[in-house]
Structures are given as C-alpha cells and as structure tokens.
Amino acid sequence: MNDVLLDIRDLRVTYTTEEGLVVAVDDLNLQLRRGETLGLVGETGAGKTTTALSIMQLVPSPPGRIETGEIFFDGEDLRRKRLEDIRNVRGNRISMIFQDPMTSLNPVLTVGFQIEEAIMLHQRLSQRQAGRKARDMLKLVGIPEGRAGDYPHEFSGGMRQRVGIAMALSCNPELLIADEPTTALDVTIQAQVLELMRRLRSEFGTSMLLITHDLGVVAEACDSVAIMYAGAAVETADTERLFTNPRHPYTRGLFGSIPSLDEDVPRLSPIKGIMPDPTELPTGCRFHPRCPAATGICAERTPVMVAVEEGHEVDCMIYEGLVPEARIGEKED
Amino acid sequence: MQPNDTAAGGVKREEKQDPLLEVRNLKKFFNTKQGSLKAVNDISFSVRRGETLGIVGESGCGKSTAGRALLRLVEPTAGEVIFEGENITTFKRDRVRAFRRDAQIIFQDPFASLDPRLSISEIIGEPYEIFSLYSKAERFERVQNLMSLVGLSTKLTNSFPHELDGGRRQRVGVARALALDPKFVVCDEPVSALDVSIQAQILNLIQDLQDRLHLTYVFISHDLSVVRHLSDRVAVMYLGKIVEITTYHNIFTRPRHPYTQALLSAIPIPKVNAKRERLILEGDVPSPVNPPKGCIFSGRCPYVMDKCREAPPALISTEEEHYTACYLVHDQADPVAEE
C-alpha cells in the first residue's frame, strides 16, 4: 500500500454558478504510484484542473466546494489536515507547474527572488543560502545563473516555463503536478521542456501527475494514463496497454479524432455531438448521448468500473456484458 | 461520403496543375520601436486550382501575416499576388472589394471573430448586405442553406454567438466565409482553439466542402499533423521565409531542410514505441527585427557551414515537387533533378 503515493477516492467537486450547480468532478477515483508519471487526459471541462486544485486544496471556495471524497497523500487524507499543515505540503512536498508561463510568475519580482521565496518558506536556509540554491536551480533547468536578477518579461515563453519548473522543483517535492505545462509553447520548445522534465524526474525520482489534452505528450512522457470525461475517469491503464488497446468508446473516439503524422488517413472519425452541459450531466453513462455503441440501458444505469485485464479498468457497460460491442468509430459529423 | 483517394503519392486531379494564385517575392514589414519587423520576408509560391496548400510554422514565423497579405487584409510591403492572372496588389479599393467575393478567410478564434451583438443569421448573411445582394426572402433562404451546408441546425437562426460552443461558432465562421461563393479560402488556424473531438468534426467539414464546392484552400496551422492531413502540398515557414515546399507525403517521409526535420522530430506522436530520431533544437527563434544575415536558421542549425552565415540560400527545386532553401541540400541534390 505504501507503494501508492496519491490515492483519490470518490472525489466530488462542485461549483455554484448562476446557471446552476456545476459538477466539475464526480466520483473520481485515481491512484498514482511512487516514482510514476500518470497522465490525466481529457478535453475542456473534463475536470482535470479541478482535480489538480483539489489535491492542492486550492479549489476557490466559494463558488467551489469539495463535497465528498478522500485525497490520501502518502497515507494521510489531505482534506482532514489543518491549514498550517496543508501549507507545509503545498509547494514543498507537492508542487505545481502551471499552464501559462506568462501569468504564473509575478511580473514585478525577479525570477531569482521568486524561487528564493519558495525555498525560504519551506526550508531552514538563510537568504544567502536560498539565493545560492535558486541560482543552482536555474542552472539546472538550463538558464544561466547570471539571469537570476532578470524579470519574467525578459524571458521567452520556453524559458519562463523553465523558471516555473525550477521553482516547482526547488523544494524537492515528492509529487509534481504539471497542468498542461507545454500547451502554451511552440513544438520545438515543448520538446526541450519535455526533455528537461524527463531528465529531472529521473534525477530526483519525483512522481508526477501530468495533465494534458495531447495524447502525443502522454505517449512520450507517461507511465500510465487516466482518461477523464465529464468529471470522472472512464479508462485507466498503463500507457502501453491504453495506446495499443483502447477500450472505452470515448478513448477510441479520441484516437479517431487525431490526424496522423505518419500514416495516410483520408478522413478522421470524430466523436459526434459536443461536451455535455456541466449543469445538466446526462443520466446513466455520461458519454451515452455521444456514444456509437449506446443502447437504452446506457441512459438509465450508471456503469461500474471493471478490470478488463490486470491494471486496465474501463467504465463502460460493454465490459460488464450489458451492451453489445457495436462498431465503434463510425464516421459521424 | 466516399473517402478521398489519397493513396501514397497524393491525388493529382488534372485541374490541380493550373495555378489559381501566384505569390512572387511577397514582403510584409511592420515598423516597430526596435526597427523594421520582417514578418514576411520575400516568399514566393503558387496555389493550384482545387488544391490545399498548407503553411506550417511556429508562432511568429509569419504564416498568418502571409495569409492576410494574400487577401490584402494587410497591405504587402512589396511583391505581387497574382489571382487568376491579375495582380491584386495594384487593385484600387473597388476592385479589392470585388476580389473579396472570390477570396475569403476563416479565422482562428471563433470567440473573437463573430460580432456578439448579431444573431447567427445576421452574421452569415452580412456579406449579402455589404454587397447589396438578393431580396430579403432570398437572403433568408440562402442563409438557411448555408447553415445546413455546414451542419448547423436551422433552429439556431436567431441565436447569438455566446449561446454556441466553440465548434458551432467555427461552423458559423465557415458559413460566413462561403456566403459569397468564393473560389479561394484562407483557413487561418481554424481548429487551434477547439478540443480534439470537435477539431476532427471541423476538419472533416472543411474537407467535404472543398470536394462539394471545388474550393482552393491555403490552410495555415502550427500543427503539422493537421496541415499534413488536409493538404496536397505543404510549405514550412521559419522567421518570415519559406524553407521548404513539397507534397504532404514527402514532408513526412523525406523532409530535407534541417528545420523541417527538427519540427517533425519534436512533435509527440500518440503511439507507444514510436521509434524516432530526436533532433532537439537549442535556443529560441531569433527576433524578426534582426534576423541572421545568412540563412535564417543558421543560428540554431546543427549542420551549419561557413557559407550559411554569409548569404541566404534560395528556395530552389531539389527534387521533383520538392523545393528546399538549404545549402546542404543544394550541394547534395542530384544535378539531373535540378532544372
């Protein structure tokens, strides 16, 4: 059991809005093993970022509220911790890299100071020592230490994201949450940043939750994957199994939607319809209105996560034997 | 709908040899505090009738500015854009207006490109108003037809943009671009703002419309997979210049320019054990205000030679249907293949 660093059980997070109650995360179960990189994949509104904020206990409240569930980190439920204890975890044992390197740094403070600040907050070091460490961290991510006195606007997007990584790793966290860390970057810069993250992870042995919408990034960087749809995980497996044999109709639909770089596919096979309204999630299986395999029962009964093979779980009634496996991936506009 | 016959090598419908659009030495410079920013710096290419020419490149490479200059949405600094035999860069206002009936654009951001105070039918029908075309009843009819053409429920006729999701908004943008029956459409990152499942729907729509309406596209994107999927030929831009143009097939199987090779190798492929040579570029793209003197890629190129730093290589034919701006490739090119 000690093997599992992060264990999320039955998490439900809602936001109260003018349009009604938005269920951002509903009944989410997720495990991350020590030393592993777990990819959390989904489209806009799947609940990926809310999941990350829940782990950090940073869900803005109000309007957000963690209604139910447990988030065990290293055996302790983060939801039961007092604020001081959470502060001791946040940025120290769990840290986060944000999507937008332009807005996640403070524009009026030098990057060196911002990293130093994180170090001073969590480690018993003098300002001199912290400053030294900040410069070392910058060097580690490939930024000359002489630039510690520069402000964020003096760096390019890729370099700012390196600063974010340096800051996140400065306290040697056990868990790193990276929320779309390369989405705002150009592809050649993304390759540099992914390479850097890979190198640092193996050097520090950090476990990572990598949030992304890009299956290519997952294939490259993750050991295992959880596919999220409308607030819940619909399929979890190790990366190889999920990519060679995707089972959930939504996962298959995602693969059918991506243009290929190395194969000639004359026409894509998109998923029909649009993401459901989060204030009015469909009954039964949340994916049923868009699912090519859906039958009557899918609108009525909520599927139960079943293991189709060891370490590969799918939230779909096809695998409970209740729905025939129809032709999935039929073209649909 | 039957899948296109896009077997390896690509379809070459005979009409595709005839150029609809020719671009010669196009330049667009912007004046900035730091000096002249060379967004598009001397590019030449042609677009054949009925084909899709993809333009791919990273942010700041000039691809969107090039797309806009083709339609004179930005005024070119120098160069010619020949559309059906006429140089549109010399057109006066009236003729530019007339030209816009033939040449349209689909914008990237379906949230910013639609007027929030107009209903869907007003947005799609606005081109008719601008050109004083058709009676009210005819306009209504045409708008309804366009809506069903792009897969929008006619129930949305009186809805407003904010009531629609990104995919539907982009369908509105497509319908508006097609209202005047253009021959040529510039698609400027039309799917970049959309989620993958919606992106695929719009890509299929853009593809189907080309077949049905015999459209010619310039398709601009930062995503090489998307560009390759839709294009007959692909141009790769870097820092205001085209570094390579070839067929969608060659661009993946035999990329010649080191930048194209680096770009391809940087794209994460959604497959496990995708075995590839990694070519990770050092550093960032230099400033277009002060581009390198010789080859624009010389500062980051792993194969840089002395002459690369002296004068820029020309974009010349190095194989059949394959143009490359790189001395290394020029030196290796089979002299027979060169014209």
Side-chain angles (χ1 to χ4, degrees), chain A residues 42-45 156 158-159 186-192 194-195 198 213-217 219-220 239-240 243-244 250 253-275 290 331-333, chain B residues 1-4 6-9 57-59 165 168 171 195-201 203-205 207-208 222 224-226 228-229 248-249 252 259 262-264 266-273 276 278 280-285 300:
Chain A
E43 299 181 275
T44 313
S156 67
M159 288 180 99
D186 271 319
V187 40
T188 58
I189 307 300
Q190 164 172 290
Q192 294 173 354
L194 287 177
E195 184 60 36
R198 183 168 22 233
H213 67 280
D214 186 336
L215 287 166
V217 170
E220 216 147 87
T239 307
E240 182 152 358
F243 278 70
T244 48
Y250 175 65
L254 279 183
F255 280 104
S257 297
I258 314 169
S260 169
L261 192 59
D262 55 351
E263 277 169 51
D264 289 337
V265 181
R267 214 181 139 76
L268 301 173
S269 314
I271 302 167
K272 67 178 176 183
I274 57 170
M275 285 294 265
R290 305 179 70 187
K331 53 178 184 261
E332 195 73 58
D333 286 279
Chain B
M1 175 138 282
Q2 286 294 310
N4 294 334
T6 39
E58 298 181 275
S59 35
D165 62 282
R168 290 211 178 95
R171 288 177 196 267
D195 271 320
V196 274
S197 71
I198 307 302
Q199 166 177 313
Q201 295 173 359
L203 289 175
N204 279 355
L205 173 70
Q207 211 173 6
D208 292 347
H222 69 282
L224 190 49
S225 315
V226 169
R228 204 196 84 100
H229 176 73
Y248 79 92
H249 192 71
F252 185 77
Y259 175 66
L263 191 63
L264 274 164
I267 299 169
I269 291 185
K271 282 181 189 163
V272 279
N273 310 321
R276 291 190 300 161
R278 255 291 148 91
I280 292 187
L281 291 177
E282 304 272 317
D284 288 306
V285 182
R300 296 174 85 195

Side-chain angles (χ1 to χ4, degrees), chain B residues 78-153:
Chain B
E80 295 178 342
V81 178
I82 318 284
F83 183 78
E84 297 203 299
E86 291 184 288
N87 183 1
I88 66 146
T89 56
T90 61
F91 279 6
K92 296 271 185 300
R93 229 190 136 106
D94 290 7
R95 294 195 65 195
V96 170
R97 235 173 93 95
F99 162 67
R100 297 259 162 79
R101 289 188 63 171
D102 283 333
Q104 282 289 326
I105 184 165
I106 301 168
F107 293 100
Q108 167 170 6
D109 186 346
F111 295 84
S113 62
L114 305 179
D115 187 330
R117 294 168 306 169
L118 296 184
S119 72
I120 301 311
S121 63
E122 285 168 328
I123 292 169
I124 299 174
E126 200 178 18
Y128 300 136
E129 199 169 307
I130 292 169
F131 286 90
S132 314
L133 296 171
Y134 312 120
S135 68
K136 207 175 165 193
E138 276 172 308
R139 277 184 199 172
F140 179 78
E141 170 96 30
R142 279 174 187 266
V143 168
Q144 299 285 304
N145 289 344
L146 281 165
M147 287 180 73
S148 55
L149 182 71
V150 300
L152 281 173
S153 158

